[in-house]
Amino acid sequence: MDLRYSEKDEEFRADLRTWLEREVPAHGAPPPVNDWPARRAYDTGWQRKLFDAGYAGISWPKEYGGRDGSPTEQLVYYEEIARVNAPYIGVNFVGMLHGGPTLIAEGTPEQKKCHVPQILTGEQVWCQGFSEPGAGSDLAALATRAEVDGDHYVVSGHKIWCSFAQAADYCELLVRTDPEAKSRGITWLIMDMNSPGIEIRPLRTLAGEGEFSEVFLDNVRIPVSNRVGKENDGWRVKEVTFRFERGAAFASDMIHLKQFVSELVDLTRRAPEGPQGWNDRALRRQLGHFSAELDALWAMVKLSVCESSKTGIPGVGASAVKLFYTDLYQRITEFGVRLLGRAALSRDDVAGLPSERILARSMQALSLTIAAGTSQIQRNIISERILGLPREPRPAPPPRPAVES
């Protein structure tokens, strides 16, 4: 597929740019990070503006309210929203970037009709309920149990690192429906977050934000009709979710990272002398390497978007995109901290240096190498499924207790 921008793409860019330059300033500044009612109103308000203008769900089918646009229009969209620093997708992250796409690929017609248009308009906010205290990287060890009672699943268990749970209407939830099987005993469910039996306990991150929560489930009843895929088929369905999450979900963030490197260049030019200034040849070479790596990363995103347009789902190479992006993000922010020198000891701006923002990015970079599957998990996927190397030895399962006759 030719991913060069056509005349039609540039017309789309011009219209989108004009709209963004008018609407972004009008939407105002975002509210404080931990004011969740205000954040939900701000983020969903922006989502509604995108929908009304025809810019929500660029590649989503028209029958669900999307634009049915081309892969190149999707790429132009990412570039333009990053260029004007448009409001972050925020609480709509899970629904727009992997929950909704998973429903389009795997949901029933009723599930798509009920949820996909409402995600696009911002009327439905989704969270993710995959990880558990004993099942993070080893997701197949999850223990949250679901048992069938009539036409409902009854779910009990404990989820952790649930993104945006305190602002969500629905949750993409993984549960165990076969206690005897491991990965083949898991099911993917849509959980209404207003159901009785749900307790949410926010977690505070290193950066002081409360994006994540623990979610405790006590006999929560979920209709069987909310199951996505077949019972015990959740391992395969979550792979679809992960490919969307790891493929293009961070695309606009990658462009923001490129802008961040430009800011680091400006920072070094403000202090031209000395080991942290622009006259340092090694420092300039490092900044050049970062720019080249970001160009390579964007080419990988284009490939992922191209694959997704052919099959409806990003390829297994999404793991390579995620691994490369999070590793590069961490190296660039560590470089920024070194540029700050002693100013990095303060979270406030010191001597006119942007210490607060650089340190915030540095702390966020630590979590990105864990979120959506750790870097170690991504390396296993790349080695086994892309390079065809032998599988990593798995520990033998514990012996089953003897049954007395």
Side-chain angles (χ1 to χ4, degrees):
M1 175 175 286
D2 187 352
L3 286 175
R4 288 174 295 184
Y5 297 136
S6 65
E7 186 175 332
K8 181 183 175 187
D9 294 328
E10 294 303 338
E11 290 175 1
F12 170 70
R13 183 193 301 277
D15 291 342
L16 175 59
R17 181 173 294 185
T18 300
W19 185 84
L20 287 169
E21 290 180 347
R22 183 180 68 246
E23 296 297 333
V24 169
H27 199 60
V33 292
N34 289 321
D35 186 343
W36 286 100
R39 281 188 65 179
R40 175 178 166 125
Y42 182 85
D43 294 343
T44 57
W46 177 249
Q47 183 66 30
R48 182 73 204 199
K49 283 187 177 180
L50 287 171
F51 177 81
D52 290 342
Y55 295 123
I58 299 297
S59 61
W60 291 28
K62 278 188 176 178
E63 64 181 301
Y64 302 119
R67 190 182 179 92
D68 220 358
S70 66
T72 47
E73 285 179 338
Q74 180 70 72
L75 293 166
V76 166
Y77 173 81
Y78 290 140
E79 291 174 353
E80 289 303 311
I81 61 171
R83 188 186 68 82
V84 297
N85 200 24
Y88 181 57
I89 194 168
V91 300
N92 300 303
F93 183 92
V94 173
M96 283 298 301
L97 297 182
H98 44 88
T102 300
L103 292 183
I104 292 172
E106 298 288 339
T108 65
E110 293 76 17
Q111 290 167 351
K112 294 176 186 178
K113 184 179 179 182
C114 177
H115 298 290
V116 175
Q118 286 78 4
I119 291 172
L120 273 184
T121 58
E123 293 171 87
Q124 284 188 12
V125 171
W126 282 55
C127 64
Q128 188 177 61
F130 282 10
S131 297
E132 297 180 9
S137 295
D138 184 14
L139 191 57
L142 69 84
T144 292
R145 182 77 181 273
E147 296 180 341
V148 175
D149 178 19
D151 56 358
H152 283 74
Y153 287 103
V154 181
V155 181
S156 293
H158 176 194
K159 295 291 180 179
I160 196 168
W161 309 122
C162 300
S163 307
F164 306 113
Q166 60 273 64
D169 305 299
Y170 290 93
C171 175
E172 49 182 32
L173 184 73
L174 289 182
V175 297
R176 178 159 299 287
T177 40
D178 184 347
E180 299 299 322
K182 200 172 182 186
S183 61
R184 294 181 179 177
I186 293 172
T187 299
W188 204 109
L189 299 177
I190 302 168
M191 180 172 72
D192 185 337
M193 292 297 287
N194 292 312
S195 304
I198 298 175
E199 181 185 357
I200 300 169
R201 299 179 188 174
L203 296 168
R204 188 171 290 274
T205 68
L206 181 67
E209 296 189 6
E211 175 182 324
F212 302 106
S213 295
E214 288 183 280
V215 176
F216 296 85
L217 308 170
D218 182 15
N219 291 319
V220 179
R221 296 183 69 82
I222 301 175
V224 171
S225 59
N226 281 19
R227 187 183 67 219
V228 178
K230 298 179 181 177
E231 187 168 289
N232 298 327
D233 191 33
W235 191 255
R236 183 192 61 81
V237 180
K238 69 85 186 159
E239 186 63 25
V240 173
T241 308
F242 277 156
R243 288 193 186 185
F244 282 112
E245 188 175 16
R246 295 165 181 168
F250 298 104
S252 59
D253 295 332
M254 295 174 195
I255 300 173
H256 281 301
L257 190 57
K258 196 163 189 174
Q259 293 168 338
F260 183 63
V261 171
S262 297
E263 293 172 19
L264 295 181
V265 170
D266 292 338
L267 183 61
T268 59
R269 281 175 168 160
R270 288 162 56 187
E273 302 296 335
Q276 295 173 329
W278 190 246
N279 290 336
D280 187 310
R281 188 174 179 181
L283 183 148
R284 296 201 308 273
R285 184 184 298 120
Q286 182 61 70
L287 286 167
H289 285 170
F290 285 149
S291 294
E293 288 185 273
L294 282 165
D295 286 343
L297 180 62
W298 189 241
M300 292 171 67
V301 171
K302 285 186 171 182
L303 180 62
S304 182
V305 170
C306 176
E307 288 177 340
S308 180
S309 71
K310 292 177 182 175
T311 65
I313 302 171
V316 71
S319 287
V321 174
K322 198 269 179 181
L323 177 65
F324 190 5
Y325 166 63
T326 54
D327 174 76
L328 181 56
Y329 192 112
Q330 199 164 83
R331 286 188 285 122
I332 289 174
T333 55
E334 287 173 353
F335 180 84
V337 170
R338 291 204 302 275
L339 285 181
L340 288 176
R342 291 180 61 83
L345 296 174
S346 172
R347 288 193 181 187
D348 299 321
D349 290 350
V350 176
L353 297 173
S355 312
E356 181 181 8
R357 195 154 49 82
I358 291 177
L359 283 174
R361 282 181 171 273
S362 178
M363 287 186 281
Q364 182 193 30
L366 298 174
S367 66
L368 290 177
T369 55
I370 300 172
T374 65
S375 295
Q376 290 78 8
I377 291 292
Q378 308 309 324
R379 289 190 176 94
N380 275 0
I381 293 172
I382 292 166
S383 65
E384 295 172 5
R385 302 185 199 174
I386 298 178
L387 301 178
L389 297 176
R391 286 172 61 87
E392 181 185 39
R394 265 62 170 178
R400 292 187 177 184
V403 179
E404 295 183 2
S405 58

